[in-house]
Amino acid sequence: MKVSYRGNAISQTANTAIHAIFIVIGLSCVVPLLLVIAVSFSDEQTIAANGYRFLPEKLSLDAYRYLWQEGRTILNAYAVTIFTTVVGTVLSLAVISTFAYPLTRKDFSYRKLFLFLVVFTLLFNGGLVPWYLVTTQVLHLKNNIWALIVPHLFNGWYVMIMKTYFQTTIPDPVLESAKIDGAGEFRTFLTIVLPLSLPGLATIGLFSAIVFWNDWWLPLMLITNDKLLNMQYLMYKALSFADYLSNASGQNYGSIMQLSPPALTFRMALAVVGIGPIVLAYPFFQKYFVQGLTVGAVKG
Amino acid sequence: MTRLARLYKNGALLVMTLPGLLLLLALHYLPIGGILIAFKNYSLSGGSFFRNFANSPWIGFDNFEFFLNTPDAFIITRNTILYNLVFIFLGTAISVFLAVAFNELRNRRMAKIYQTTILLPYFLSWIAVSYLFFGFLSADKGILNQLVFEPLGHEGVDWYNRSVYWPYILVFANVWKYAGYNCIIYLAAIIGIDNDYYEAAALDGASKWQQIRHITIPSLSTVITLLVLLGIGRMFFADFGLFYQVPMNSGAIFDVTNVIDTFVYRALINSGDIGMSSAASTFQAFVGFILVVLSNWIVKRIDSEKAIF
């Protein structure tokens, strides 16, 4: 992010105060993550007796050993997350770009109608209950991998952003000359429009990959089969069935819950493994995300 | 041009839109038709959706009457609206403040670090956030009780069972997660302000504070108004993850954590009460629609380019 130069700077006191504010806020964003990591590397008995600590009083890898024993469940959840993220992002880019492009074409007779169909979904939707009944009973998106992908594929906001992007980056004369050269619509789209729009596609792809990676809503609504749980939902189960973990007397909540303790530290180790990848990848995609956000904000 | 000729002329482009169109119709427009369920005594038992629909009797507004007569109807509506109002106004004030302050930072390297840290929570799911909060709020192991309350001689607080604290915790969680994101939006607008204004003001002897008050804030006013209005348009919809995951679905604090979205979810999934949940979700859809249209109408009068339609 560019910080523009202004000839007159603020006073030293104000400068210090601003730094102090940002340091406090910054710490509030990082410290909770450090706590989760610290607990995951702590000894279960010490935590049970003394509670969570920012620095482990006694280091232990027990939680990760249990995690390793339960490796199959976790690998399976990771496989589901990675599959839905990759396939979901690619498919949603395909759907969004192919739908957005014709909306930019003034010679497309159904442009206004289709534009209305998209915009209306941004203003009004049927609500959760009809959506749930249609999704599960008509489309049969229940307890299968597509239930974790299909509902997120079409996004009206992304279509609008993509449409604006196409409009501002692809000059009409380029399309016209392609037409004169005898290129068909599909060929023009694949060999001219898409290559010229790679930054826009990358932005929407990034937004959409984050949605798929962080999704726990679709498994909460549509998945009861343990084999199809993704990483986020596994974390949800481990936290919400905490009572089961600590007294080991509950019902069968799936294989992950049949562990004997270290429940307290294990839960946090699971969180480290679950949250880790996005935190590690974050510094690399942050720049592109901020660029995409600012472009979206400026171009509407 | 005949209808057929027009179809033919647009053939290739139409084929292109087909996947999106099918998804749009199946996932958005079919459920909009499904709103009629709210006016039926719909039962899940056997058969396809359409057969169930045809077989269930029309009951007019009975579901709505039933829903509006529950004490929950008032509580969830109140909670949804009040939380959103606080989020909109407090969230905007804090984000604008942060953006203005951020823009004054001279140390580029530190500014970059700050931006990276305050934007981080935006990328964590509400599940991940619920873990982070649990580390502090767990009654017997959490940092707040262990390292703050008990060493000071206070009794630990049973956070997940005490309603009084949750309005503050939820507001904090929301502002904490989204402040960095909104800060960037405002920062983009600030950077767009022409530097000449500031230089001219400085030459005339305007202090930094005067420059912020008379140049920066007025230049941001359109963006602020637009984002506030968009927020007001969404005022009948709550962030399900915030209200369901962060309080860890704890029943003892439903009076301050239950919002329309969590109520609909629980009525549908936990109780299987289609009548009640569809009445609540339809109520939300229609009132929400009115708010969106109203706020968009105002947005359009301010800046027609920013309006959704």
Side-chain angles (χ1 to χ4, degrees), chain A residues 248-266:
Chain A
S249 64
Q251 298 296 307
N252 180 6
Y253 287 121
S255 61
I256 189 85
M257 298 306 132
Q258 289 160 2
L259 286 170
S260 54
L264 294 167
T265 52
F266 167 76

Side-chain angles (χ1 to χ4, degrees), chain A residues 113-131:
Chain A
L113 170 70
F114 283 21
L115 201 57
F116 173 80
L117 286 178
V118 178
V119 170
F120 190 68
T121 64
L122 304 178
L123 305 171
F124 187 72
N125 67 72
L128 181 70
V129 180
W131 175 84

